Amino acid sequence: MGLEDIGVDLCDKTKGISVNDNLETSAKGIYAAGDCTGDRQFTHYAGFQGAIAARNILLPLKDSGKRSDSIPAATFTDPEVASIGLTEDEAVMGYGADKVSVSFRKLSEVDRAICEDADMHGFLKIVYMTKTKQILGATIMAPSAGELISEIAVAKESKLSFDKLSTVMHAYPSYSIALQQMAAE
């Protein structure tokens, strides 16, 4: 495309257009977002980055458009599978087993799944720092995992500790009440 001719660098690691945290390329005033940056390739992430890049171009704001560990992923199978952040193994490798805790609940223990006679092979798993309760990641396999992971994404991005989810009232019997119950344990 001749990007190098106008001063736009490519990233050796991602093979995409190199951008800073504000999504500006090495050529001042030129921004890139989404798949062309070589970052994680999700439609929702590309849309998020596009909106941030447009705002950074048009307004005197400089919001970060890069998210390393707070990009929710969802696979819309039956049941759905969704994740965000670190897995348990990654968290243990990064922080040590003595500093990481896990809350796990089988779908067969979630009242909504029982009421709906859902596939009981699912689960909800939240990984967090033992001392601070900071959420490090989550994996959910459930009929509404794509929606449930959004609650964890909001909590993680706003630095809400896992235990604080227990103080947020959830409707019963919803799938999300399992998150409130897990946080209260």
Side-chain angles (χ1 to χ4, degrees):
M1 287 180 52
L3 295 173
E4 296 90 356
D5 297 339
I6 60 170
V8 174
D9 294 335
L10 299 179
C11 178
D12 292 332
K13 181 181 173 187
T14 66
K15 305 297 183 210
I17 297 172
S18 184
V19 294
N20 64 20
D21 285 345
N22 301 324
L23 303 173
E24 189 171 20
T25 68
S26 52
K28 188 168 173 48
I30 298 177
Y31 290 73
D35 295 356
C36 69
T37 66
D39 203 343
R40 304 213 24 215
Q41 299 191 358
F42 294 109
T43 305
H44 53 276
Y45 189 37
F48 170 82
Q49 283 191 326
I52 295 292
R55 194 167 60 206
N56 287 345
I57 291 167
L58 298 172
L59 300 173
L61 303 172
K62 293 298 174 206
D63 290 332
S64 177
K66 285 188 172 182
R67 297 289 191 268
S68 58
D69 67 344
S70 59
I71 303 168
T75 304
F76 297 101
T77 52
D78 186 15
E80 296 174 14
V81 179
S83 63
I84 189 167
L86 301 178
T87 65
E88 179 180 0
D89 289 343
E90 291 168 339
V92 167
M93 282 181 24
Y95 296 100
D98 59 326
K99 295 185 178 169
V100 174
S101 292
V102 174
S103 180
F104 184 89
R105 179 158 300 189
K106 294 177 184 177
L107 200 57
S108 61
E109 299 168 350
V110 177
D111 290 349
R112 178 63 179 262
I114 295 166
C115 290
E116 290 185 345
D117 197 26
D119 181 349
M120 295 299 173
H121 291 96
F123 63 89
L124 295 90
K125 183 177 189 178
I126 313 300
V127 181
Y128 59 96
M129 296 296 292
T130 302
K131 186 175 181 179
T132 65
K133 310 293 189 240
Q134 173 192 3
I135 298 171
L136 300 173
T139 303
I140 301 171
M141 187 171 89
S144 58
E147 280 76 31
L148 289 169
I149 206 67
S150 295
E151 180 171 348
I152 299 301
V154 169
K156 187 174 182 327
E157 186 68 19
S158 64
K159 310 257 188 277
L160 184 70
S161 61
F162 179 51
D163 60 323
K164 291 292 184 188
L165 285 180
S166 69
T167 66
V168 178
M169 189 182 306
H170 291 67
Y172 180 84
S174 63
Y175 281 102
S176 65
I177 200 165
L179 296 173
Q180 180 183 9
Q181 293 166 340
M182 291 165 69
E185 293 174 350

